[in-house]
Amino acid sequence: MGKLDDKVAIVTGSGRGIGREIALKLASDGAAVVVNDLDDAPAQETVADIVAAGGRAVACTGSVTDEDFADRFVGTAVSEFGGLDIIVNNAGYTWDSVVQKMTDEQWDAILDVHLKAPFRILRAAQPVIAGAVKAAREAGEPVPCRKVVNISSIAGLGGNAGQANYSAAKAGVTGLTKALAKEWGRYNVTVNTVAFGLIRTRLTEAPADGSSTIDVQGKELKVGVNPDLLAAMERQIPLGRAGTPAEAAGSVYLFCVPESDYVSAQTLVCGGGFIM
């Protein structure tokens, strides 16, 4: 018996990195998971790993910024698994520049993926959740506690030079979380935020000389942090190191299990003790 047996979760950006670890963690404790990635191959790989371990999962491939994505994502959970209990808004990337060199395209792209996409997904989920709650109450059944976990960053709490777009988007996630916690409390839904510090992923581990890039809908974006800068950042962390994707997933898991059913509108910093 798992703590998340009979729960249905949707996790954006779960084909790789932190999102993949979140999907695996939730599935390992009993949740059926709708996995998402821009590309089909990593999404299907995560699905295959969950199924091979005895879990349940399906893929919903595509960009979270597509106009039809939110309805398709939520609809997949309902059609494949019969409901929706856990929403994790994790997908994202960075496109950095100092403010005087940042283009409108850079600003809009980062706000769209980190803030507008979660808003759309939550909007699409509301009729499903409200309908399930109404049906339970009319039948005289208990209303289970559902969970929303929005992913932010310490950049959204204290800002980060060269990331005006990312910092603004992640600060907005906190506001979205607090508003939805007040709106959805009547549905017995908790809404919380996890703000990640330095986590070792493909976006930080790649060489910072521009030799490694990621493709985001036709845009080749440089990834990687200078090793000397990475080491300096780690020295500021009380635990003395960056976190792992599995550790990041663990912090999200805390908000998904029954032990956190009376915790809402909070921001948990997963940063090894680092305080902005």
Side-chain angles (χ1 to χ4, degrees):
M1 294 291 291
K3 291 184 178 181
L4 302 179
D5 283 352
D6 301 322
K7 302 295 185 183
V8 178
I10 58 177
V11 184
T12 60
S14 48
R16 291 171 274 210
I18 295 171
R20 169 182 163 84
E21 294 297 329
I22 294 170
L24 293 174
K25 181 69 174 175
L26 298 181
S28 72
D29 212 6
V33 183
V34 180
V35 175
N36 159 256
D37 196 273
L38 269 173
D39 304 311
D40 190 57
Q44 293 295 350
E45 182 178 348
T46 300
V47 168
D49 288 344
I50 290 173
V51 173
R56 297 180 297 155
V58 296
C60 183
T61 305
S63 173
V64 297
T65 62
D66 290 343
E67 287 191 10
D68 69 338
F69 177 79
D71 288 331
R72 187 162 57 87
F73 196 37
V74 171
T76 299
V78 175
S79 63
E80 294 292 330
F81 300 122
L84 180 58
D85 302 283
I86 298 169
I87 301 170
V88 182
N89 285 306
N90 165 79
Y93 62 96
T94 56
W95 192 2
D96 299 348
S97 181
V98 290
V99 69
Q100 67 270 23
K101 295 181 179 179
M102 185 173 291
T103 65
D104 285 356
E105 182 186 14
Q106 281 176 280
W107 177 269
D108 291 342
I110 297 305
L111 268 290
D112 282 351
V113 71
H114 290 284
L115 189 55
K116 190 174 185 178
F119 153 71
R120 283 175 164 174
I121 290 167
L122 294 167
R123 181 176 63 184
Q126 191 277 341
V128 174
I129 293 172
V133 170
K134 181 180 180 181
R137 286 175 175 161
E138 288 178 348
E141 299 171 351
V143 175
C145 185
R146 291 178 170 85
K147 311 280 188 165
V148 174
V149 185
N150 296 318
I151 303 304
S152 185
S153 165
I154 57 173
L157 302 178
N160 197 31
Q163 291 188 321
N165 51 0
Y166 183 72
S167 298
K170 289 306 192 183
V173 166
T174 300
L176 176 64
T177 294
K178 292 183 180 297
L180 263 292
K182 291 182 176 180
E183 287 189 23
W184 285 11
R186 61 190 171 132
Y187 301 135
N188 199 23
V189 177
T190 67
V191 189
N192 291 290
T193 299
V194 173
F196 293 140
L198 180 61
I199 308 295
R200 287 189 176 272
T201 69
R202 65 187 179 123
L203 301 183
T204 58
E205 292 294 277
D209 59 4
S211 60
S212 291
T213 62
I214 58 171
D215 181 278
V216 180
Q217 295 183 288
K219 297 188 293 287
E220 289 292 325
L221 305 180
K222 295 180 180 180
V223 295
V225 177
N226 181 285
D228 292 336
L229 177 58
L230 194 61
M233 293 167 68
E234 288 189 309
R235 286 194 292 270
Q236 298 180 60
I237 299 171
L239 288 184
R241 61 175 178 82
T244 67
E247 289 170 328
S251 64
V252 174
Y253 171 79
L254 295 176
F255 282 135
C256 296
V257 293
E259 284 82 350
S260 61
D261 281 359
Y262 200 62
V263 179
S264 195
Q266 302 305 304
T267 296
L268 172 66
V269 178
C270 177
F274 180 77
I275 300 174
M276 293 294 289

